[in-house]
């Protein structure tokens, strides 16, 4: 049994890690939470669309990327690790 990540899964993780590192450091997240700005949530959602994260779990016939459960978990792991709000 091979339990290592595929190249595509590594790309999913690294793109999400890079996005959060560049745009939503811990200090920035605290600032957004305290100010209750909606801009941060809008930026996260727009990035999710731009990176194709929202299309990952859906079949290609519906315009999705037909991602596997492991593909989605790679993304969710990064969101959780970055304490996404």
């Amino acid at each position: 049994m091979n339990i290592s990540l595929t190249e595509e899964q590594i790309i999913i993780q690294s793109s999400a890690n890079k996005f959060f590192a560049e745009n939503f450091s811990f200090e920035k997240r605290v600032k957004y939470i305290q100010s209750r700005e909606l801009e941060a949530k809008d930026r996260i959602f727009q990035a999710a669309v731009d990176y194709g994260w929202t299309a990952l779990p859906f079949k290609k016939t519906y315009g999705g990327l037909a991602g596997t459960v492991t593909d989605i978990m790679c993304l969710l792991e990064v969101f959780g690790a970055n304490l996404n709000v």
Side-chain angles (χ1 to χ4, degrees):
M1 177 194 290
N2 183 3
I3 58 171
S4 58
L5 297 177
T6 65
E7 184 177 339
E8 291 84 9
Q9 292 165 343
I10 292 169
I11 291 170
I12 291 168
Q13 278 189 327
S14 64
S15 67
N17 274 321
K18 182 178 178 184
F19 171 77
F20 281 104
E22 290 176 355
N23 297 291
F24 292 98
S25 65
F26 180 77
E27 294 80 18
K28 287 182 182 180
R29 284 196 313 273
V30 169
K31 176 185 158 192
Y32 291 137
I33 291 169
Q34 290 174 344
S35 68
R36 297 186 181 261
E37 292 180 24
L38 295 177
E39 177 185 319
K41 291 179 182 176
D42 291 343
R43 288 178 53 204
I44 291 171
F45 185 75
Q46 188 59 49
V49 171
D50 293 344
Y51 281 95
W53 298 336
T54 56
L56 193 57
F58 299 103
K59 294 180 181 181
K60 290 184 179 185
T61 56
Y62 300 115
L65 299 173
T68 66
V69 171
T70 308
D71 295 339
I72 297 165
M73 281 305 301
C74 290
L75 184 59
L76 293 178
E77 180 182 7
V78 175
F79 273 63
N82 285 283
L83 302 173
N84 185 22
V85 288

